[in-house]
Amino acid sequence: MIAALSLGLFVGIVLGVVGGGGSIIAVPALVYGVGMSPAEAIPTSLLVVGISSLAALLPRLREGINWPVVLMVGAAGIPAAWGGTAAGRLLDPNILMLAFAVIMVIAGIRMLIRTTETEGSCSTGPNRAFRSCAPKAVGVGVLVGFLTGLLGVGGGFLITPALTLFLGLSMKQAVGSSLAIIVINSAAGFGAHATGFTIDWPHVLAFTVPAILGSLLAARLARHLNDKHIRISFAVLIFAVAAWVTTGTVTA
């Protein structure tokens, strides 16, 4: 229970600062820190991260959310999340955790690459062109939705770079929009996993309440932090967790 409280707080802080990435920490934390199996950790992570992301989204509403992009990416992700869930049930849990570690390394490298903030076809500026934006937004939604169902990740660690690099959103708008998409993806992924799953409410609440508090506090503090330092710190963190997950899986 103490592990759930402390790890939940940590996940919330990551969500509030980075606008994503909480679930990539939550699944290993629930498996290796709390002692859940991957089958229990994935839907629990989706529930916790979805609620925490909603809390982290509230302080950012005034900074602007690109709702057309959120709806396109989110809608494409819902059926993809169900497909990812079906694929995950066919795979060995150890393979899933190793796949998780690979995704984390990719995410860490992605965070270290400087993102540009030029307007693109999906921006809210004068260059907006949703006819060319829609295929890109749907592609991002399908990829992130599938990973959500397969690995129990909300996808924020991939969504934020994708929104800036491929869709042309500013970093501030991308972070808020990412949180809104995570809420949609987490709800879809949890719905896909909910059949036959019994929620362990004591651990869920012990993880969720600190996560919400941490995300609200961190979202306010993030406005005063340097974006470059945030990206580097997060990348180092997920590299370390990827090594932890790989070691734990191989030696299990």
Side-chain angles (χ1 to χ4, degrees), residues 57-152:
L57 174 64
L58 298 178
R60 296 183 181 273
L61 289 175
R62 284 180 289 183
E63 297 178 4
I65 308 295
N66 193 318
W67 289 111
V69 169
V70 168
L71 293 176
M72 283 190 288
V73 174
I78 291 174
W82 285 80
T85 301
R89 287 172 177 163
L90 303 176
L91 298 176
D92 181 88
N94 288 331
I95 294 177
L96 284 178
M97 295 308 295
L98 289 175
F100 204 105
V102 171
I103 295 295
M104 293 180 80
V105 171
I106 294 172
I109 295 172
R110 185 75 263 164
M111 292 296 290
L112 290 175
I113 298 175
R114 183 177 179 82
T115 57
T116 56
E117 293 193 10
T118 56
E119 283 192 352
S121 57
C122 294
S123 71
T124 55
N127 294 330
R128 178 173 58 187
F130 283 113
R131 186 171 295 179
S132 59
C133 166
K136 299 177 185 177
V138 170
V140 169
V142 169
L143 173 62
V144 172
F146 185 81
L147 291 176
T148 297
L150 181 67
L151 301 174

Coordinates of all heavy atoms in Angstrom, one line a residue, residues 57-152:
L57 N -5.6 17.8 -16.9 CA -6.1 18.6 -18.0 C -6.8 19.9 -17.6 O -6.7 21.0 -18.2 CB -7.1 17.8 -18.8 CG -7.8 18.4 -20.0 CD1 -6.9 18.9 -21.1 CD2 -8.9 17.5 -20.5
L58 N -7.4 19.9 -16.4 CA -8.2 21.0 -16.0 C -7.4 22.3 -15.9 O -7.9 23.4 -16.4 CB -8.9 20.7 -14.6 CG -9.9 19.5 -14.7 CD1 -10.5 19.3 -13.3 CD2 -11.0 19.8 -15.7
P59 N -6.2 22.3 -15.3 CA -5.5 23.6 -15.2 C -5.0 24.1 -16.5 O -4.6 25.3 -16.7 CB -4.3 23.3 -14.3 CG -4.7 22.0 -13.6 CD -5.5 21.3 -14.5
R60 N -5.0 23.3 -17.6 CA -4.5 23.6 -18.9 C -5.6 24.1 -19.9 O -5.2 24.4 -21.0 CB -3.7 22.5 -19.5 CG -2.4 22.1 -18.7 CD -1.7 21.0 -19.3 NE -0.5 20.6 -18.6 CZ 0.7 21.2 -18.7 NH1 0.9 22.2 -19.5 NH2 1.7 20.8 -17.9
L61 N -6.8 24.0 -19.5 CA -7.9 24.4 -20.4 C -7.8 25.8 -20.9 O -8.1 26.1 -22.0 CB -9.3 24.1 -19.7 CG -9.7 22.7 -19.4 CD1 -11.0 22.6 -18.7 CD2 -9.8 21.9 -20.8
R62 N -7.3 26.7 -20.1 CA -7.2 28.1 -20.5 C -6.1 28.3 -21.4 O -6.0 29.3 -22.1 CB -7.0 29.0 -19.2 CG -8.3 29.2 -18.4 CD -8.0 30.1 -17.2 NE -7.2 29.4 -16.2 CZ -6.9 29.9 -15.0 NH1 -7.3 31.2 -14.7 NH2 -6.2 29.3 -14.1
E63 N -5.1 27.4 -21.6 CA -4.0 27.5 -22.5 C -4.4 27.1 -23.9 O -3.6 27.3 -24.8 CB -2.8 26.7 -22.0 CG -2.3 27.1 -20.7 CD -1.1 26.2 -20.2 OE1 -0.7 25.3 -21.0 OE2 -0.6 26.5 -19.1
G64 N -5.6 26.6 -24.1 CA -6.1 26.2 -25.4 C -5.9 24.7 -25.7 O -4.8 24.2 -25.6
I65 N -7.0 24.1 -26.1 CA -6.9 22.7 -26.6 C -7.4 22.6 -28.0 O -8.4 23.3 -28.4 CB -7.9 21.8 -25.7 CG1 -7.6 22.0 -24.2 CG2 -7.8 20.4 -26.1 CD1 -6.2 21.6 -23.7
N66 N -6.7 21.9 -28.8 CA -7.1 21.8 -30.2 C -8.2 20.7 -30.3 O -7.8 19.5 -30.6 CB -5.9 21.5 -31.1 CG -6.2 21.6 -32.6 OD1 -7.3 21.2 -33.1 ND2 -5.3 22.2 -33.3
W67 N -9.4 21.0 -30.1 CA -10.5 20.0 -29.9 C -10.7 19.2 -31.2 O -11.0 18.0 -31.2 CB -11.8 20.6 -29.4 CG -11.7 21.0 -28.0 CD1 -11.6 22.3 -27.5 CD2 -11.5 20.1 -26.9 NE1 -11.5 22.3 -26.1 CE2 -11.4 21.0 -25.7 CE3 -11.5 18.8 -26.7 CZ2 -11.3 20.4 -24.4 CZ3 -11.3 18.2 -25.4 CH2 -11.3 19.0 -24.3
P68 N -10.7 19.8 -32.4 CA -10.8 19.0 -33.7 C -9.8 17.9 -33.8 O -10.1 16.8 -34.1 CB -10.7 20.0 -34.8 CG -11.1 21.3 -34.2 CD -10.6 21.3 -32.8
V69 N -8.5 18.2 -33.4 CA -7.5 17.2 -33.5 C -7.7 16.2 -32.4 O -7.6 15.0 -32.6 CB -6.1 17.9 -33.3 CG1 -5.0 16.8 -33.1 CG2 -5.7 18.7 -34.5
V70 N -8.1 16.6 -31.2 CA -8.4 15.7 -30.1 C -9.4 14.7 -30.5 O -9.3 13.5 -30.3 CB -8.8 16.5 -28.8 CG1 -9.4 15.5 -27.8 CG2 -7.7 17.2 -28.2
L71 N -10.5 15.2 -31.1 CA -11.6 14.3 -31.5 C -11.2 13.3 -32.6 O -11.6 12.2 -32.6 CB -12.8 15.1 -32.0 CG -13.5 16.0 -30.8 CD1 -14.6 16.8 -31.4 CD2 -14.0 15.1 -29.7
M72 N -10.4 13.8 -33.6 CA -10.0 12.9 -34.7 C -9.1 11.8 -34.2 O -9.2 10.7 -34.5 CB -9.3 13.7 -35.8 CG -10.3 14.5 -36.7 SD -9.5 15.2 -38.2 CE -8.5 16.6 -37.4
V73 N -8.1 12.2 -33.4 CA -7.1 11.3 -32.9 C -7.8 10.3 -31.9 O -7.6 9.1 -32.0 CB -5.9 12.0 -32.2 CG1 -5.0 11.0 -31.5 CG2 -5.1 12.8 -33.2
G74 N -8.6 10.9 -31.1 CA -9.3 10.0 -30.1 C -10.3 9.0 -30.7 O -10.4 7.9 -30.3
A75 N -11.1 9.5 -31.7 CA -12.0 8.6 -32.4 C -11.3 7.5 -33.1 O -11.8 6.3 -33.1 CB -12.9 9.4 -33.4
A76 N -10.2 7.8 -33.8 CA -9.4 6.7 -34.5 C -8.8 5.7 -33.5 O -8.6 4.6 -33.8 CB -8.3 7.4 -35.3
G77 N -8.5 6.2 -32.3 CA -7.9 5.3 -31.3 C -8.8 4.4 -30.6 O -8.3 3.3 -30.1
I78 N -10.1 4.6 -30.6 CA -11.0 3.8 -29.9 C -11.1 2.3 -30.4 O -10.8 1.4 -29.7 CB -12.4 4.4 -29.8 CG1 -12.4 5.6 -28.9 CG2 -13.5 3.4 -29.3 CD1 -13.7 6.4 -28.9
P79 N -11.4 2.2 -31.8 CA -11.4 0.8 -32.3 C -10.0 0.2 -32.3 O -9.8 -1.1 -32.1 CB -11.9 1.0 -33.7 CG -11.6 2.4 -34.1 CD -11.8 3.1 -32.8
A80 N -8.9 1.0 -32.5 CA -7.6 0.5 -32.4 C -7.2 -0.1 -31.0 O -6.5 -1.0 -30.9 CB -6.6 1.6 -32.8
A81 N -7.7 0.6 -30.0 CA -7.5 0.1 -28.6 C -8.1 -1.3 -28.4 O -7.5 -2.2 -27.8 CB -8.1 1.1 -27.6
W82 N -9.3 -1.5 -29.0 CA -9.9 -2.8 -28.9 C -9.1 -3.9 -29.6 O -8.9 -5.0 -29.2 CB -11.3 -2.8 -29.4 CG -12.2 -2.1 -28.4 CD1 -12.4 -0.8 -28.3 CD2 -13.1 -2.7 -27.5 NE1 -13.3 -0.5 -27.3 CE2 -13.8 -1.7 -26.8 CE3 -13.4 -4.1 -27.2 CZ2 -14.8 -2.0 -25.8 CZ3 -14.4 -4.3 -26.2 CH2 -15.0 -3.3 -25.5
G83 N -8.5 -3.5 -30.8 CA -7.7 -4.4 -31.6 C -6.4 -4.7 -30.8 O -6.0 -5.9 -30.8
G84 N -5.8 -3.7 -30.2 CA -4.6 -3.9 -29.4 C -4.8 -4.9 -28.2 O -4.0 -5.7 -27.9
T85 N -6.0 -4.7 -27.6 CA -6.3 -5.6 -26.5 C -6.5 -7.0 -26.9 O -6.0 -8.0 -26.3 CB -7.7 -5.1 -25.8 OG1 -7.5 -3.8 -25.4 CG2 -8.1 -6.0 -24.7
A86 N -7.1 -7.2 -28.1 CA -7.3 -8.6 -28.6 C -5.9 -9.2 -28.9 O -5.7 -10.4 -28.6 CB -8.2 -8.6 -29.8
A87 N -5.0 -8.4 -29.5 CA -3.7 -8.9 -29.8 C -2.9 -9.2 -28.5 O -2.2 -10.2 -28.5 CB -2.9 -7.9 -30.6
G88 N -3.0 -8.4 -27.5 CA -2.3 -8.6 -26.3 C -2.7 -9.9 -25.6 O -1.8 -10.5 -24.9
R89 N -3.9 -10.3 -25.7 CA -4.4 -11.5 -25.0 C -3.7 -12.8 -25.7 O -3.8 -13.9 -25.1 CB -5.9 -11.6 -25.1 CG -6.6 -10.6 -24.1 CD -8.0 -10.6 -24.3 NE -8.6 -9.7 -23.3 CZ -9.9 -9.1 -23.4 NH1 -10.6 -9.5 -24.5 NH2 -10.3 -8.3 -22.5
L90 N -3.2 -12.7 -26.9 CA -2.6 -13.8 -27.6 C -1.1 -13.9 -27.3 O -0.5 -14.9 -27.6 CB -2.8 -13.6 -29.1 CG -4.2 -13.5 -29.6 CD1 -4.2 -13.3 -31.1 CD2 -5.0 -14.8 -29.2
L91 N -0.5 -12.9 -26.6 CA 0.9 -12.9 -26.3 C 1.3 -13.2 -24.9 O 0.5 -13.0 -24.0 CB 1.5 -11.5 -26.7 CG 1.3 -11.0 -28.1 CD1 1.8 -9.5 -28.2 CD2 2.1 -11.9 -29.1
D92 N 2.5 -13.8 -24.7 CA 3.0 -14.1 -23.4 C 3.3 -12.8 -22.6 O 3.8 -11.8 -23.2 CB 4.3 -14.9 -23.6 CG 4.9 -15.3 -22.2 OD1 4.5 -16.4 -21.7 OD2 5.7 -14.5 -21.7
P93 N 2.9 -12.8 -21.3 CA 3.1 -11.6 -20.5 C 4.6 -11.1 -20.5 O 4.8 -9.9 -20.5 CB 2.7 -12.0 -19.1 CG 1.8 -13.1 -19.3 CD 2.2 -13.8 -20.5
N94 N 5.6 -12.0 -20.6 CA 7.0 -11.6 -20.6 C 7.3 -10.9 -21.9 O 8.1 -9.9 -21.9 CB 7.9 -12.8 -20.4 CG 7.9 -13.3 -19.0 OD1 7.7 -12.5 -18.0 ND2 8.1 -14.6 -18.8
I95 N 6.7 -11.3 -23.0 CA 6.9 -10.7 -24.3 C 6.3 -9.3 -24.3 O 6.9 -8.3 -24.8 CB 6.3 -11.5 -25.4 CG1 7.0 -12.8 -25.6 CG2 6.3 -10.7 -26.7 CD1 6.4 -13.7 -26.6
L96 N 5.1 -9.1 -23.6 CA 4.5 -7.8 -23.5 C 5.4 -6.8 -22.7 O 5.6 -5.7 -23.1 CB 3.2 -7.9 -22.8 CG 2.0 -8.5 -23.6 CD1 0.7 -8.6 -22.7 CD2 1.7 -7.6 -24.8
M97 N 6.0 -7.3 -21.6 CA 6.8 -6.4 -20.8 C 8.1 -6.0 -21.6 O 8.6 -4.9 -21.5 CB 7.2 -7.1 -19.5 CG 6.0 -7.3 -18.6 SD 5.0 -5.9 -18.3 CE 6.1 -4.8 -17.4
L98 N 8.7 -7.0 -22.3 CA 9.9 -6.7 -23.2 C 9.5 -5.7 -24.3 O 10.3 -4.8 -24.6 CB 10.5 -7.9 -23.8 CG 11.2 -8.9 -22.8 CD1 11.6 -10.1 -23.5 CD2 12.4 -8.2 -22.1
A99 N 8.3 -5.8 -24.9 CA 7.8 -4.9 -25.9 C 7.7 -3.5 -25.2 O 8.0 -2.5 -25.8 CB 6.5 -5.4 -26.5
F100 N 7.2 -3.5 -24.0 CA 7.0 -2.3 -23.2 C 8.4 -1.6 -23.1 O 8.5 -0.4 -23.3 CB 6.5 -2.6 -21.9 CG 5.7 -1.5 -21.2 CD1 4.3 -1.5 -21.2 CD2 6.4 -0.4 -20.7 CE1 3.6 -0.4 -20.6 CE2 5.7 0.7 -20.1 CZ 4.3 0.6 -20.1
A101 N 9.4 -2.3 -22.8 CA 10.8 -1.8 -22.6 C 11.3 -1.2 -23.9 O 11.9 -0.1 -23.9 CB 11.7 -2.8 -22.1
V102 N 11.0 -1.8 -25.0 CA 11.4 -1.3 -26.3 C 10.7 0.0 -26.6 O 11.4 1.0 -27.1 CB 11.1 -2.3 -27.4 CG1 11.4 -1.7 -28.8 CG2 12.0 -3.6 -27.3
I103 N 9.4 0.0 -26.4 CA 8.7 1.3 -26.6 C 9.2 2.4 -25.7 O 9.3 3.6 -26.1 CB 7.2 1.0 -26.3 CG1 6.6 0.0 -27.3 CG2 6.4 2.4 -26.3 CD1 6.5 0.5 -28.7
M104 N 9.6 2.1 -24.5 CA 10.1 3.1 -23.6 C 11.4 3.7 -24.1 O 11.7 4.9 -24.1 CB 10.4 2.5 -22.2 CG 9.1 2.1 -21.5 SD 9.4 1.4 -19.9 CE 9.7 2.9 -18.9
V105 N 12.3 2.8 -24.7 CA 13.6 3.3 -25.3 C 13.3 4.2 -26.4 O 13.9 5.3 -26.6 CB 14.5 2.1 -25.7 CG1 15.7 2.6 -26.5 CG2 14.9 1.3 -24.5
I106 N 12.3 3.8 -27.3 CA 12.0 4.7 -28.4 C 11.4 6.0 -27.9 O 11.8 7.1 -28.5 CB 10.9 4.0 -29.3 CG1 11.5 2.7 -29.9 CG2 10.3 4.9 -30.4 CD1 10.5 1.9 -30.7
A107 N 10.6 6.0 -26.9 CA 10.0 7.2 -26.3 C 11.1 8.1 -25.8 O 11.1 9.3 -25.9 CB 9.0 6.9 -25.2
G108 N 12.1 7.5 -25.1 CA 13.2 8.3 -24.5 C 14.0 9.0 -25.6 O 14.4 10.2 -25.5
I109 N 14.3 8.3 -26.7 CA 15.0 8.9 -27.8 C 14.2 10.0 -28.4 O 14.7 11.1 -28.8 CB 15.4 7.8 -28.9 CG1 16.3 6.8 -28.3 CG2 16.0 8.4 -30.1 CD1 16.5 5.6 -29.2
R110 N 12.9 9.7 -28.5 CA 12.0 10.8 -29.1 C 12.0 12.0 -28.3 O 12.0 13.2 -28.8 CB 10.6 10.2 -29.2 CG 9.5 11.0 -29.8 CD 9.7 11.0 -31.3 NE 10.4 12.2 -31.7 CZ 11.0 12.3 -32.9 NH1 10.9 11.4 -33.8 NH2 11.6 13.4 -33.2
M111 N 12.0 11.9 -26.9 CA 12.0 13.0 -26.1 C 13.3 13.8 -26.2 O 13.4 15.0 -25.9 CB 11.8 12.6 -24.6 CG 10.4 12.1 -24.3 SD 9.1 13.3 -24.6 CE 9.4 14.4 -23.2
L112 N 14.4 13.2 -26.5 CA 15.7 13.9 -26.6 C 15.9 14.6 -27.9 O 16.8 15.5 -28.0 CB 16.9 12.9 -26.5 CG 17.0 12.2 -25.1 CD1 18.1 11.2 -25.2 CD2 17.4 13.3 -24.0
I113 N 15.0 14.3 -28.9 CA 15.1 15.0 -30.2 C 14.3 16.3 -30.1 O 13.1 16.3 -29.7 CB 14.6 14.1 -31.3 CG1 15.4 12.9 -31.5 CG2 14.5 14.9 -32.6 CD1 14.9 11.9 -32.5
R114 N 14.9 17.4 -30.4 CA 14.3 18.7 -30.2 C 13.1 18.8 -31.2 O 13.2 18.5 -32.4 CB 15.3 19.8 -30.5 CG 14.7 21.2 -30.3 CD 15.7 22.3 -30.6 NE 15.2 23.6 -30.4 CZ 15.0 24.2 -29.3 NH1 15.3 23.6 -28.1 NH2 14.5 25.4 -29.2
T115 N 11.9 19.2 -30.7 CA 10.8 19.3 -31.5 C 10.6 20.8 -32.0 O 11.0 21.7 -31.3 CB 9.5 19.0 -30.8 OG1 9.4 19.8 -29.6 CG2 9.5 17.5 -30.4
T116 N 10.2 21.0 -33.2 CA 10.0 22.3 -33.7 C 8.5 22.7 -33.5 O 7.6 21.9 -33.5 CB 10.3 22.3 -35.3 OG1 9.5 21.4 -35.9 CG2 11.8 22.0 -35.5
E117 N 8.3 24.0 -33.4 CA 7.0 24.6 -33.2 C 6.5 25.4 -34.3 O 6.0 26.5 -34.2 CB 7.0 25.4 -31.9 CG 7.3 24.5 -30.7 CD 7.0 25.3 -29.4 OE1 6.4 26.4 -29.4 OE2 7.3 24.8 -28.3
T118 N 6.7 24.9 -35.6 CA 6.2 25.6 -36.7 C 4.7 25.1 -37.0 O 4.4 24.0 -36.7 CB 7.0 25.2 -38.0 OG1 7.1 23.8 -38.1 CG2 8.5 25.7 -37.8
E119 N 3.9 26.1 -37.5 CA 2.5 25.7 -37.8 C 2.4 24.7 -38.9 O 3.2 24.7 -39.9 CB 1.8 27.0 -38.2 CG 1.4 27.9 -37.0 CD 0.4 28.9 -37.5 OE1 0.1 29.0 -38.7 OE2 -0.1 29.7 -36.6
G120 N 1.5 23.7 -38.7 CA 1.3 22.7 -39.7 C -0.1 22.6 -40.1 O -0.9 23.5 -39.7
S121 N -0.5 21.6 -40.8 CA -1.9 21.5 -41.3 C -2.9 21.3 -40.3 O -4.1 21.6 -40.5 CB -2.0 20.3 -42.3 OG -1.6 19.1 -41.7
C122 N -2.5 21.0 -39.0 CA -3.5 20.8 -38.0 C -3.5 21.9 -36.9 O -4.1 21.8 -35.9 CB -3.3 19.4 -37.3 SG -3.6 18.0 -38.3
S123 N -2.7 22.9 -37.1 CA -2.6 24.0 -36.2 C -3.8 24.8 -36.2 O -4.6 24.7 -37.1 CB -1.3 24.8 -36.4 OG -1.5 25.6 -37.6
T124 N -4.0 25.7 -35.2 CA -5.1 26.6 -35.2 C -4.8 27.9 -35.8 O -5.6 28.9 -35.7 CB -5.6 26.8 -33.7 OG1 -4.5 27.3 -33.0 CG2 -6.1 25.5 -33.1
G125 N -3.7 28.1 -36.5 CA -3.3 29.3 -37.1 C -3.9 29.4 -38.5 O -4.7 28.6 -38.9
P126 N -3.4 30.4 -39.3 CA -3.9 30.6 -40.6 C -3.6 29.5 -41.6 O -4.2 29.4 -42.7 CB -3.2 31.9 -41.0 CG -2.0 32.0 -40.2 CD -2.4 31.4 -38.9
N127 N -2.6 28.7 -41.3 CA -2.3 27.6 -42.2 C -3.1 26.3 -42.0 O -2.8 25.3 -42.5 CB -0.8 27.2 -42.0 CG 0.1 28.4 -42.4 OD1 -0.2 29.1 -43.3 ND2 1.3 28.5 -41.8
R128 N -4.1 26.4 -41.1 CA -4.9 25.2 -40.8 C -5.6 24.7 -42.1 O -6.2 25.4 -42.9 CB -6.0 25.6 -39.8 CG -6.9 24.4 -39.4 CD -7.8 24.8 -38.3 NE -8.6 26.0 -38.6 CZ -9.4 26.6 -37.7 NH1 -9.5 26.1 -36.5 NH2 -10.1 27.6 -38.1
A129 N -5.5 23.4 -42.3 CA -6.1 22.8 -43.5 C -6.5 21.3 -43.1 O -5.7 20.4 -43.2 CB -5.1 22.7 -44.7
F130 N -7.7 21.2 -42.6 CA -8.1 19.9 -42.1 C -8.2 18.8 -43.1 O -8.1 17.6 -42.7 CB -9.4 20.0 -41.3 CG -9.3 20.7 -40.0 CD1 -9.8 22.0 -39.8 CD2 -8.6 20.1 -38.9 CE1 -9.7 22.6 -38.5 CE2 -8.4 20.7 -37.7 CZ -8.9 22.0 -37.5
R131 N -8.3 19.1 -44.4 CA -8.3 18.0 -45.4 C -7.0 17.3 -45.4 O -7.0 16.1 -45.6 CB -8.6 18.6 -46.7 CG -8.8 17.6 -47.8 CD -9.4 18.2 -49.1 NE -10.7 18.8 -48.9 CZ -11.4 19.4 -49.9 NH1 -10.9 19.6 -51.1 NH2 -12.6 19.9 -49.6
S132 N -5.9 18.0 -45.3 CA -4.6 17.4 -45.2 C -4.2 16.9 -43.8 O -3.4 16.0 -43.6 CB -3.5 18.3 -45.7 OG -3.5 19.5 -45.0
C133 N -4.9 17.5 -42.8 CA -4.6 17.2 -41.4 C -5.3 15.8 -41.0 O -4.6 15.0 -40.3 CB -5.2 18.3 -40.5 SG -5.4 17.8 -38.7
A134 N -6.5 15.6 -41.5 CA -7.2 14.4 -41.1 C -6.5 13.1 -41.3 O -6.4 12.3 -40.3 CB -8.6 14.3 -41.8
P135 N -5.9 12.8 -42.4 CA -5.1 11.5 -42.5 C -4.0 11.3 -41.5 O -3.8 10.3 -41.0 CB -4.6 11.5 -44.0 CG -5.4 12.5 -44.7 CD -5.8 13.5 -43.7
K136 N -3.3 12.4 -41.3 CA -2.2 12.4 -40.3 C -2.8 12.1 -38.9 O -2.2 11.3 -38.1 CB -1.4 13.7 -40.3 CG -0.7 14.0 -41.6 CD 0.0 15.4 -41.5 CE 0.5 15.8 -42.8 NZ 1.1 17.1 -42.7
A137 N -3.8 12.8 -38.5 CA -4.4 12.7 -37.2 C -5.0 11.3 -37.0 O -4.8 10.7 -35.9 CB -5.5 13.7 -37.0
V138 N -5.6 10.7 -38.0 CA -6.2 9.4 -37.9 C -5.0 8.4 -37.8 O -5.1 7.4 -37.0 CB -7.0 9.1 -39.1 CG1 -7.4 7.6 -39.2 CG2 -8.3 9.9 -39.1
G139 N -3.9 8.6 -38.5 CA -2.8 7.7 -38.4 C -2.2 7.7 -37.0 O -1.9 6.6 -36.4
V140 N -2.0 8.9 -36.4 CA -1.5 9.0 -35.1 C -2.5 8.3 -34.1 O -2.1 7.6 -33.2 CB -1.3 10.5 -34.7 CG1 -1.1 10.6 -33.2 CG2 -0.2 11.1 -35.5
G141 N -3.8 8.5 -34.3 CA -4.8 7.9 -33.4 C -4.8 6.4 -33.4 O -4.9 5.7 -32.4
V142 N -4.6 5.8 -34.6 CA -4.6 4.3 -34.7 C -3.4 3.7 -34.0 O -3.5 2.8 -33.3 CB -4.6 3.9 -36.2 CG1 -4.4 2.4 -36.4 CG2 -6.0 4.3 -36.8
L143 N -2.2 4.3 -34.3 CA -1.0 3.8 -33.6 C -1.1 3.9 -32.1 O -0.8 2.9 -31.4 CB 0.2 4.6 -34.1 CG 1.5 4.3 -33.4 CD1 2.0 2.9 -33.7 CD2 2.6 5.3 -33.9
V144 N -1.4 5.1 -31.6 CA -1.5 5.3 -30.2 C -2.6 4.4 -29.5 O -2.4 3.8 -28.5 CB -1.7 6.8 -29.8 CG1 -1.9 7.0 -28.3 CG2 -0.5 7.6 -30.3
G145 N -3.7 4.3 -30.2 CA -4.8 3.5 -29.7 C -4.5 2.0 -29.6 O -4.8 1.4 -28.6
F146 N -3.8 1.5 -30.6 CA -3.3 0.1 -30.6 C -2.4 -0.1 -29.4 O -2.5 -1.1 -28.7 CB -2.7 -0.2 -31.9 CG -2.3 -1.7 -32.0 CD1 -3.3 -2.6 -32.4 CD2 -1.0 -2.1 -31.8 CE1 -2.9 -4.0 -32.5 CE2 -0.7 -3.5 -31.9 CZ -1.6 -4.4 -32.2
L147 N -1.4 0.8 -29.2 CA -0.5 0.6 -28.1 C -1.2 0.7 -26.8 O -0.8 0.1 -25.8 CB 0.6 1.7 -28.2 CG 1.6 1.5 -29.4 CD1 2.6 2.7 -29.4 CD2 2.4 0.2 -29.2
T148 N -2.2 1.5 -26.7 CA -3.0 1.7 -25.5 C -3.6 0.3 -25.1 O -3.6 -0.1 -24.0 CB -4.1 2.7 -25.7 OG1 -3.5 4.0 -25.9 CG2 -5.0 2.8 -24.4
G149 N -4.3 -0.3 -26.1 CA -4.9 -1.6 -25.8 C -3.9 -2.7 -25.5 O -4.1 -3.6 -24.7
L150 N -2.8 -2.7 -26.3 CA -1.8 -3.8 -26.2 C -1.0 -3.7 -24.9 O -0.8 -4.7 -24.2 CB -0.8 -3.7 -27.4 CG 0.3 -4.7 -27.5 CD1 -0.4 -6.1 -27.7 CD2 1.3 -4.4 -28.6
L151 N -0.5 -2.5 -24.5 CA 0.4 -2.4 -23.4 C -0.2 -1.6 -22.2 O 0.5 -1.5 -21.2 CB 1.7 -1.7 -23.9 CG 2.4 -2.5 -25.0 CD1 3.6 -1.6 -25.5 CD2 2.9 -3.8 -24.6
G152 N -1.4 -1.1 -22.3 CA -1.9 -0.4 -21.2 C -1.3 1.0 -21.1 O -1.3 1.6 -20.0

